[in-house]
Amino acid sequence: MRPRFSRLYSLGGYDEDDPRITGATRESLDDPSDLERNVKDQMGLLTMSYKQRRKEAQKIKIRFFVTSLLNRQQFIMKLARALMTFGAPSHRIESQLVAAARILEVDAEFIHLPNIFLLSFADPETCTSETHFIKCSGRLALGNLKMVHQVYRQVVHDEISAKRATDSLDALLNSKPIYPVWTRCAIAFCLSALICPLAFGGSLVDMFIAGFGALVLSSLQLTVVVKSQLYANVFEISIAIFISFLARALSSIRSELFCYTAISSAGIVCILPGYLILSSSLELASKNMLCGSVKMVYALIYTLFLGFGLQIGSDFYLLFNPSERHRLSSLANSMSHTTIFSGTFFSDNSTRFPESQPLFGTFAFTNGTSLNQMHIIEGCHRLSEFALYLQPFPFWSQFITVPAFSVLSSLGNLQPWRSWDLVVMVVISCISFAANKTANHFIFNRSDVVSAIGAFAVGLLGNVYSRRFGGTAFTAMVTGVLFLVPSGLSQAGGLTASGSGIDIGGAMIAVTIGITVGLFMSQALVYTFGTRKNAAIFSF
């Protein structure tokens, strides 16, 4: 029987992650158990006659090669399903599958559509092909995603066979989330409570109300939504209406205990489509127009739903409390600095000349009784005589809240807490927040540029960690990148119901475009000065 061995190129210590660049192939394509069974079958041929031995040898050869090829094809299909289920960067999935097919010597073509993957396996000897459709959707699971990437690396480095790797991926796909429902609800409560003062200027009392809204949101999302497809269609609008109604009702208290903007913005931060818009923006930048444009349009409509829900919730409460509507109108008028009156004026005296004509013009009167803007902090009214629990958090509190939010954000994305990667995620996230705040101190009213600077710092650190310490760049960078979305939105004005949902969508697009540019610039810089030209196969 002809052995199926290939050369393994040695390229000066390069990591054979991308065989399209290195030209590396696997030395052992077959499973050890299949090889052992094949040897036993060959040994059994010695007791047969020549005619029987010739016929049986042909059967063994066909069975051996078909079984080996099917195992490799099955691994590629399981790899595609696992990457889509655990939220891998969609613009990298196709390149990773192409690399796996090249290493495993499988003739395959791939087409990636939103929530659908098409795999076509060709057989040059028989001039036939078969196409498989993989349809699945999932959410970000950093722990499982790292394990999937480790299995992929073991296969391409010839450490395990495709059959064993398929069994490992099956175990991951069938496993339950590493945290139970009540733990994930508690994490959502803490996340919204911390982001309320951190990004939206909330006080101590605001953060608990925002956390309560996120607790209700997370409990419904993890229990009711997964069981009822009917309620899943209106889940975002209904929860946005509930949180906005609650925030407007509490903010109408005369003593001004609560801030509507902080509570409503932080309460729905867990369902903001920041990662979806970021993924679509990265795909468009990677010239994947079909998948990127579909996701971008969906994310924008999703954002409009949230803005519509916030507006409906606020107006629904004002319908029951007309006095609060009048108070808000008066407050808005008091913040207006100019009142314009239109009319006609002309000279009215005894020295009127015959050639003089009536003059038409516009009057503009300035209102000198406007509200002091110094008391408006992040959209919340904060007087200096307010109690301490109604004031925004001091600057030094960020040294506590930022690492705590980074830890909880990583745990919320299903990262195991007993891992060295969690420490790296927190460090990168804190550095991204510091870079964002420093840039915002010197660059005003440009949330896109500020987000690009923060994303550049995240991309630089993530790629350096991947190259120097052998970590996974994508999982190390996710927390820091997602931290930039609410921070950028707060610099763009926050999620307020005073305007339309289009304003929220435009703000999110500006922030994510800045993040996309920063990530690609950092990768270009590391690629230019790095020695490994193939380490970006699993990164942003």
Side-chain angles (χ1 to χ4, degrees):
M1 183 181 61
R2 181 175 57 89
R4 294 175 58 87
F5 296 105
S6 303
R7 293 180 298 172
L8 179 63
Y9 290 79
S10 177
L11 300 176
Y14 280 11
D15 188 11
E16 298 86 1
D17 277 347
D18 195 347
R20 296 171 300 168
I21 298 177
T22 63
T25 57
R26 281 172 51 88
E27 288 184 346
S28 177
L29 295 174
D30 307 311
D31 189 71
S33 61
D34 295 333
L35 289 173
E36 183 179 357
R37 185 174 65 251
N38 182 56
V39 172
K40 291 181 180 180
D41 292 338
Q42 294 286 351
M43 294 294 292
L45 296 178
L46 299 177
T47 60
M48 300 180 183
S49 63
Y50 174 76
K51 184 178 293 186
Q52 292 176 340
R53 188 164 57 246
R54 184 178 179 182
K55 182 183 293 186
E56 193 66 24
Q58 187 67 24
K59 292 181 181 179
I60 293 173
K61 182 179 179 180
I62 294 175
R63 184 171 66 247
F64 175 73
F65 284 116
V66 169
T67 302
S68 176
L69 182 61
L70 290 178
N71 288 337
R72 285 176 270 153
Q73 292 179 353
Q74 188 71 18
F75 166 73
I76 293 177
M77 289 189 289
K78 289 293 181 182
L79 179 62
R81 181 178 295 276
L83 291 174
M84 294 177 65
T85 302
F86 300 135
S90 52
H91 65 292
R92 297 286 188 186
I93 294 179
E94 186 172 350
S95 61
Q96 195 166 3
L97 292 178
V98 169
R102 167 66 177 83
I103 266 282
L104 294 174
E105 297 184 3
V106 175
D107 190 0
E109 296 290 339
F110 308 99
I111 298 178
H112 186 201
L113 302 175
N115 295 335
I116 298 177
F117 217 97
L118 279 70
L119 301 90
S120 178
F121 299 109
D123 188 355
E125 296 181 358
T126 60
C127 297
T128 59
S129 65
E130 59 178 1
T131 303
H132 298 267
F133 294 83
I134 298 178
K135 182 179 180 181
C136 64
S137 60
R139 54 155 299 168
L140 198 59
L142 297 180
N144 291 340
L145 200 56
K146 180 178 176 61
M147 297 177 67
V148 169
H149 186 59
Q150 289 176 346
V151 171
Y152 162 80
R153 288 175 61 89
Q154 289 176 343
V155 171
V156 299
H157 286 102
D158 211 8
E159 297 176 4
I160 62 175
S161 64
K163 186 176 181 180
R164 290 182 54 192
T166 303
D167 296 337
S168 301
L169 294 179
D170 277 331
L172 284 176
L173 289 170
N174 296 327
S175 63
K176 295 182 179 180
I178 59 176
Y179 300 119
V181 173
W182 67 269
T183 303
R184 295 163 70 180
C185 292
I187 291 174
F189 174 88
C190 298
L191 278 175
S192 291
L194 288 175
I195 201 64
C196 182
L198 193 58
F200 302 109
S203 62
L204 185 64
V205 295
D206 294 332
M207 60 185 296
F208 287 102
I209 303 301
F212 171 75
L215 179 64
V216 175
L217 184 153
S218 180
S219 60
L220 291 176
Q221 189 177 28
L222 297 176
T223 55
V224 180
V225 173
V226 296
K227 297 179 180 179
S228 175
Q229 184 63 33
L230 180 62
Y231 179 67
N233 297 330
V234 296
F235 166 69
E236 293 82 8
I237 297 180
S238 62
I239 199 65
I241 291 175
F242 167 75
I243 294 177
S244 179
F245 183 88
L246 178 64
R248 182 61 74 187
L250 294 175
S251 65
S252 64
I253 299 176
R254 295 299 179 183
S255 56
E256 294 182 305
L257 290 174
F258 304 96
C259 175
Y260 169 77
T261 303
I263 295 175
S264 60
S265 299
I268 64 171
V269 75
C270 293
I271 58 175
L272 287 179
Y275 181 72
L276 183 61
I277 291 186
L278 176 61
S279 177
S280 61
S281 180
L282 289 168
E283 288 181 354
L284 290 174
S286 302
K287 306 299 185 294
N288 190 353
M289 292 180 290
L290 177 61
C291 202
S293 56
V294 170
K295 287 186 177 181
M296 178 66 76
V297 172
Y298 170 75
L300 289 179
I301 299 301
Y302 183 92
T303 306
L304 293 178
F305 284 158
L306 293 180
F308 178 77
L310 291 176
Q311 184 70 58
I312 289 296
S314 175
D315 291 343
F316 190 62
Y317 174 78
L318 296 178
L319 187 65
F320 293 98
N321 192 355
S323 61
E324 180 66 14
R325 182 185 295 274
H326 294 309
R327 188 180 74 87
L328 292 176
S329 299
S330 301
L331 183 64
N333 292 331
S334 65
M335 296 179 66
S336 178
H337 295 274
T338 304
T339 304
I340 299 177
F341 296 93
S342 300
T344 303
F345 59 91
F346 58 90
S347 177
D348 187 13
N349 53 28
S350 57
T351 60
R352 179 179 179 183
F353 294 96
E355 64 274 8
S356 63
Q357 299 293 330
L359 302 178
F360 298 89
T362 302
F363 295 99
F365 296 96
T366 301
N367 184 7
T369 61
S370 61
L371 188 65
N372 190 357
Q373 295 290 330
M374 294 181 62
H375 299 314
I376 304 297
I377 302 176
E378 299 287 349
C380 299
H381 187 215
R382 307 295 186 190
L383 295 177
S384 57
E385 57 268 18
F386 279 178
L388 183 63
Y389 59 87
L390 296 179
Q391 296 291 346
F393 279 32
F395 173 78
W396 57 264
S397 64
Q398 296 179 358
F399 292 96
I400 301 175
T401 55
V402 172
F405 180 84
S406 302
V407 172
L408 292 171
S409 179
S410 301
L411 297 180
N413 289 322
L414 302 181
Q415 169 67 25
W417 66 277
R418 287 186 177 181
S419 63
W420 171 252
D421 289 338
L422 181 61
V423 180
V424 178
M425 293 177 189
V426 173
V427 172
I428 293 179
S429 179
C430 293
I431 294 177
S432 72
F433 181 82
N436 193 290
K437 284 295 183 182
T438 304
N440 190 51
H441 183 72
F442 296 99
I443 304 174
F444 304 100
N445 298 326
R446 289 303 303 270
S447 60
D448 50 352
V449 178
V450 172
S451 300
I453 295 175
F456 180 81
V458 173
L460 195 63
L461 293 173
N463 284 282
V464 169
Y465 170 68
S466 174
R467 291 167 179 265
R468 295 300 180 185
F469 299 98
T472 305
F474 174 75
T475 55
M477 295 159 56
V478 164
T479 303
V481 170
L482 294 183
F483 203 171
L484 297 174
V485 175
S487 299
L489 288 177
S490 66
Q491 294 154 13
L495 294 172
T496 60
S498 57
S500 62
I502 299 178
D503 300 331
I504 303 174
M508 292 196 68
I509 290 178
V511 171
T512 52
I513 286 178
I515 295 175
T516 302
V517 173
L519 290 174
F520 276 110
M521 288 178 60
S522 64
Q523 288 182 6
L525 180 64
V526 175
Y527 182 87
T528 302
F529 295 99
T531 57
R532 288 167 55 192
K533 305 302 183 184
N534 56 346
I537 193 169
F538 195 62
S539 178
F540 267 113

